[in-house]
Amino acid sequence: ELLHSYRAGKEPAGTTDDQVFAAKKMYESAFHPETGEKMFLPGRMSFQVPGNMTICGCMLTFYRSTPAILFWQWINQSFNAVVNYTNRSGKSDIPESLLLRSY
């Protein structure tokens, strides 16, 4: 809200540059830069490290059976698909059938 007010030149009196930059940082980490839509939390780049660390840790821990390997590989592939979908270009309109075939 502060960022929108600042861009419109109507920020509240006494607003500091630090407050504007903090609002900008939070907005840009949560909303898609091209579409302006709020991004799905596990698909955001800020979730990439904790998400991948958890998945990699589980892949290294549960490697002794084929079903466990297949499960964690599927989780890893699904997580990467969510990240790629969330951070896709907002200008390209991709049909859902193509996305499902790609997955």
Side-chain angles (χ1 to χ4, degrees), residues 32 37 43 79-89 94 96 99:
H32 195 278
E37 296 175 352
F79 177 71
N80 288 329
V82 166
V83 170
N84 290 332
Y85 177 77
T86 303
N87 293 287
R88 72 194 182 284
S89 173
I94 302 171
E96 289 183 15
L99 290 173

Side-chain angles (χ1 to χ4, degrees), residues 8-35:
K10 300 176 183 176
E11 72 271 8
T15 303
T16 65
D17 287 343
D18 289 339
Q19 291 172 321
V20 173
F21 286 124
K24 182 178 186 285
K25 183 178 178 181
M26 288 181 62
Y27 179 84
E28 289 177 349
S29 71
F31 293 90
H32 195 278
E34 293 179 5
T35 64

Side-chain angles (χ1 to χ4, degrees), residues 72-83:
W72 286 107
Q73 290 292 336
W74 174 72
I75 292 291
N76 186 42
Q77 178 67 25
S78 299
F79 177 71
N80 288 329
V82 166
V83 170

